[in-house]
Amino acid sequence: MSGMTTYFIRRLMLVPLTFLAITFMVYSVLRVVPGGPIEQAQAAMRMAAMEEGGAGGGTITGEADLQIDEEAMDELKRYYALDRSIPVGYLQWLGLWRREMHSRVPAVPADEFREDLARLKTTREAQHEAETRLTAHLEERGLVYHKDGFFEPLEPAEMPGDLRARADLLRSRSVEPHYPLQKLLADEGMAFADGNYLRRVDAGDDEFWVEAHRLAKRLTGTRAQYDAIVEETGHDLLADGRLIQREFIPLHRLKEAQIAVSEQLQGQLAEQELIEFGGRIYQPISWEDLKGRDERLAKRAEALAEAGFARRDRLLSLLAAHDLTWQNERYYETVGADLRQSDPERYETLEALIDSHRLATTRLERIEREHGYAINDQFIVFRIKRALSGILQLDFGRSYTYGEPVLSLVASRFEVSLWFGLTGFFLTYLICIPLGIIKAIKHRTTVDTATSIAVFLGYAMPGFVVSLILLAGVAVHVEWLPLGGHKPEGIEDMGWLEAILGRARHMLIPVIGYMVAGFAAMTILMKNSLLDNLGSDYVRTAFAKGLRERRVVFVHALRNSLIPITAGLGSALALLFAGSFLIETTCNIDGMGFLGYQAIVQRDYPITLGVLVFLVLIQLFGNIISDLIWATIDPRIRFGAA
Amino acid sequence: MILFKLLLVVLICLAGWWLTHRAVPWTAVKLGRLAGFRMKMTPLTVRRVRRFQQIRRGYWCFVILTTAFVLSLFLEFYVNHRPLYIAFEAPAAEGEDTRTHRQFPAIASWFRLWLPEAASERLGLSADTRSEDFGLKGDSSVPYHDYSRWARDPEELEKDAASIEEWIEEDKERFHAMMEEFAAQQDEVHDRSEPLPDDKIAEYEEKRAEAAFLRELKTHFEAGRARILMPLWPYSHQQQLLHLPGQPPHKPFVRDTVSTDDPTASPTRIPFFGTDFEGNEILAQILYGFRISFAFAMSVAFIGYLIGVSIGAMMGYFGGWFDIIVQRIIEVWGSIPFLFVIIIIASIMQPSFWLLAILLVCLQAWIGITFFMRGEFYREKARDYVQAASAIGVGDPKIIGRHILPNALVPVVTYLPFSIVAYINTLVALDYLGFGLPPESPSWGRLLRQGAENIINHPHLVGFAVVAMAATLFCVVLIGEAVREAFDPRKYSRLR
């Protein structure tokens, strides 16, 4: 293999390495620095919410905003794998380490039922109807139907004293459907439903009971029918009429149970301003009390609390070592012996609730894990998939300012940047080559000196400043030139001539800015290269042959002196994109650079990293392409040769 | 007066030139001799320097720019809102001698710039004055503009007092007019002889006391007890000119003296070059901005070249695996879109002068020179003198530092000016995007940004910053071109 080929293979192999090094560096910076993405995003969102809320914004909109925030935050956390270490998180972001993906399982609205599923609905209706009729019939004698049996409501006084006390206690400590309570009552031939204690009644054989048995049988019949259909179709109906897959039913039930316990627990806790955290009960403690107890601890905790989200874990573990915790911007201490003694019953109730909450949660989690699904508080089911999903799988995440996938955003903006980049690029060559030739031919004449000043100025001033001067000095006064944007409004409806002129109008100033970047270097390069060639022997020979000067310069010398110019092709293109965001910001062009800049300002990290990935790739391949072009055009160039 | 000031400007420039191109080199040579160095240039270097001096435009730019930078190091002495000297002779109380209070706030602020905080505290260098010490009331700093106006013409105090009283009368009139209009709406008649509300009376009392105080102050100023010497251009980037009428920014070249409704504001002259959006005077911003931009570029270039030259020297000298590995690292590092990355980092951390400088060095500045130095060392290493030095047992560090380095500095000299252009532009771009120096630093980029955001109403902000940038950078580029020409001359010859 020739040296050249190995050289380029080596260069290509270096591309992934470079890419990894750069992205890892930036990823680490975003993660390590205090006030990383999450916190910055939170602050930014809070600001935005405050601005929007303004005078009229009530609490409802505020809470709604917070809801969205939580969701976005969850997505952000998942995307950046903030719960994992930096290397693992980076690999997940890259797509080389499996990550947990939550994809929403769409619930089918009732009116989109498939044919065969319509039976589900009719059977459910029949079942309801049977139930209503049975209830109505039993009401005549004040009876209720519960779990395949007929019951009569029991006045509390009718119950034996100790049984009732035990039942009440169990009732307060368990949640619907009160399994321990039901078990206790069933042994006594009793039950509990809708807040009433019930006692089983013996069926008679009069007309009333015949009818009652008939209706009850019909109800069980429809139930069985319904269950059969559920079995057959694999779908079930929710109370609100939405359709759900049968395998999600346990999830639903458990979630409902968990929410019920949670609500009961929170209600009990809120009554006494207590909180539950990690299975323990805490009561609030004021900062002064905390300081009085342990001043050093209090100060350290306060410092950590102020450091924000990034130090939250450290804060909690510090406090946990002292039986304290920190929630909702307040300090809490564990409930001591005083509550246990002053109100043992309540305390035990709380503990029982906490236990059953924990039980419900673990059960739910087990089921979630087993089935590979997760359910959130709004009963939306997500499919949990552990898969590779990162930028290698083209999953760049989702921007939370635009709410669109980053990839499509970048792609749409890339087109705009391409317009300007390419135009600027070609115009640079179109102007620089003739100018360089003129300067070389008229070396050390007035023309040369005069254009040199322009070249030096172009070298000295960055492109965006030149655009800015033109905007401030010309565009402000000339109505014909727009102050920003990349195309006229309603360009789709214009004739082709008008459209081209409109685009040209919008592109004039930015493109001049783009051109400044390469203008000076390119012109000087062209001039020097031509001068070099004009002094060489083969030109001397051509002159000696008696060729005309025009032919010598334009045919003989120029061809060779164009070689160095083409060498910069790839890297010039890369430079145009990399440096363009200054011009795009100045001229309000919705290009990729502007997208990246705004993303940084708005702390939209998915876009920031996405744009970075693109910039790095363009730069890397641009460099290689320019070397390749150079080597192809000029056979004297030998890369990789010792 | 204007002639006198212009003369002063010329004198300052001459002094700067003398300092930069006579005093400093002379001292450096003398000190070097004392320390045992003999500054002897090789004939080749002498020829190069002479060639550089012969390229007139480059050489003149060099003289102007170095002078300007050295002068800018002393900006506090002649562009400052603080006076060079302020004194007040407190009237003698019973049985006491008169006590004169003197301070040199401008000079103190210059020293504070260079000395660490603790040292200037110990020396008692205070750039702030207390109004109480200078015959005024309160703890705050003396209002130097008013003070110098009063010192120049004590009658101004009488005018100020009169304008306060005038304002009281006008305000009364305004109040009555308002009440009459209000009464007319209610179909009633406002009685002018009715007593004014208490808060109005209290306010007027206060204003009258203020006027009386000004009149009392006038006696001190007439007796020549207050003296103040303002710098040549009595503004600075640290002072927001909030006493000016209207909202900042103020347009330049407006020479009117405007009075306002505010009683405390005496007729004020808007600075010739206008102010920016924060109320800072523009010329002061530009001049201080020149200093900080140039200092930034020089620091970055210095640190970057220090690192780049050392690494490049080692690469070229040792070669082998070290060379290959560092080459690959440079290739990786050079592909970072550094401006984008700096902005990402700056958006998370609050950048300071040195943090920005170090970021720029790490991400960009050390790379460019490394390859040139590598090439130079690679070439020089094969020369006989290196072999000779090596043969007599001179160690590697000494060969690199003493033998090869002086012969390999041509790229450093020729690329330095262009690097400085690049770093100044980077700083301006960062400031322009809002991720640059902290907001209290003067900066060209911020002026550009303010101008860009209000391009229709205030293009002058862009104009001044651009003129400053263009002049500075153009000079640097011309120097660079001349240096390149002098160190690496190309003589083109061709037949015609």
Side-chain angles (χ1 to χ4, degrees), chain B residues 80-369:
Chain B
N80 204 334
H81 71 282
R82 300 190 179 92
L84 287 163
Y85 170 65
I86 181 169
F88 185 75
E89 198 179 311
E94 289 280 320
E96 270 182 40
D97 291 335
T98 53
R99 231 164 30 83
T100 311
H101 201 92
R102 291 192 182 81
Q103 252 181 296
F104 304 90
I107 297 164
S109 71
W110 184 78
F111 277 104
R112 286 182 75 102
L113 184 72
W114 302 101
L115 295 174
E117 191 78 14
S120 36
E121 289 303 327
R122 197 168 316 137
L123 287 172
L125 288 171
S126 163
D128 289 320
T129 47
R130 266 188 340 135
S131 287
E132 248 174 3
D133 297 337
F134 296 92
L136 306 177
K137 284 189 235 163
D139 235 4
S140 57
S141 180
V142 175
Y144 301 120
H145 281 271
D146 287 337
Y147 210 83
S148 71
R149 193 163 50 88
W150 297 334
R152 213 179 303 134
D153 182 9
E155 280 308 310
E156 290 275 333
L157 278 162
E158 176 59 39
K159 277 189 209 159
D160 286 2
S163 81
I164 291 180
E165 278 159 0
E166 209 174 292
W167 180 85
I168 294 176
E169 290 310 314
E170 278 173 14
D171 193 65
K172 261 188 207 164
E173 197 51 46
R174 261 200 306 276
F175 179 72
H176 282 305
M178 199 182 78
M179 290 306 285
E180 267 163 12
E181 196 182 317
F182 184 66
Q185 276 175 8
Q186 312 277 321
D187 286 332
E188 286 166 20
V189 178
H190 173 62
D191 182 10
R192 283 202 169 223
S193 58
E194 247 178 57
L196 289 161
D198 285 346
D199 57 329
K200 277 282 171 197
I201 290 174
E203 194 188 341
Y204 295 157
E205 257 338 284
E206 207 176 292
K207 295 282 179 205
R208 283 208 187 88
E210 213 171 284
F213 177 75
L214 287 182
R215 292 217 168 83
E216 189 197 325
L217 204 60
K218 190 183 160 203
T219 58
H220 298 318
F221 275 82
E222 274 172 340
R225 291 200 187 109
R227 288 181 300 276
I228 186 167
L229 177 63
M230 289 302 279
L232 191 57
W233 189 252
Y235 305 102
S236 87
H237 67 286
Q238 289 169 333
Q239 180 206 29
Q240 300 180 341
L241 301 169
L242 298 177
H243 65 280
L244 292 181
Q247 285 277 323
H250 297 280
K251 294 225 186 267
F253 317 132
V254 182
R255 305 238 57 184
D256 297 350
T257 51
V258 195
S259 65
T260 52
D261 303 343
D262 185 6
T264 46
S266 30
T268 10
R269 176 172 284 179
I270 290 168
F272 186 67
F273 291 98
T275 66
D276 68 5
F277 271 81
E278 277 133 34
N280 292 317
E281 204 274 329
I282 285 181
L283 182 67
Q285 276 252 48
I286 296 267
L287 291 174
Y288 280 95
F290 169 78
R291 177 167 79 183
I292 206 163
S293 306
F294 223 79
F296 179 81
M298 302 263 271
S299 317
V300 172
F302 180 74
I303 306 172
Y305 276 30
L306 211 62
I307 298 171
V309 166
S310 335
I311 292 179
M314 286 195 284
M315 280 167 77
Y317 186 78
F318 295 117
W321 275 109
F322 178 77
D323 184 27
I324 290 173
I325 290 170
V326 178
Q327 268 192 52
R328 294 292 88 81
I329 292 176
I330 288 177
E331 233 164 87
V332 170
W333 216 245
S335 311
I336 298 178
F338 77 97
L339 202 54
F340 197 67
V341 174
I342 288 184
I343 288 174
I344 293 178
I345 296 173
S347 76
I348 301 173
M349 305 186 196
Q350 207 31 262
S352 65
F353 182 90
W354 287 112
L355 179 70
L356 274 186
I358 286 166
L359 271 179
L360 192 55
V361 167
C362 288
L363 288 170
Q364 177 72 10
W366 67 276
I367 295 174
I369 195 70

Side-chain angles (χ1 to χ4, degrees), chain A residues 114-128:
Chain A
R114 297 206 312 265
E115 267 312 91
D116 57 329
L117 295 178
R119 280 194 295 142
L120 208 56
K121 210 173 161 189
T122 50
T123 326
R124 164 62 65 89
E125 273 159 14
Q127 183 190 336
H128 275 303

Side-chain angles (χ1 to χ4, degrees), chain A residues 14 33 460 549 586 597 603, chain B residues 331 347-348 432-433 473 494:
Chain A
L14 214 61
V33 167
E549 184 182 350
T586 306
Y597 169 69
R603 318 269 186 227
Chain B
E331 233 164 87
S347 76
I348 301 173
Y432 174 72
L433 293 172
L473 297 176
R494 60 179 273 237

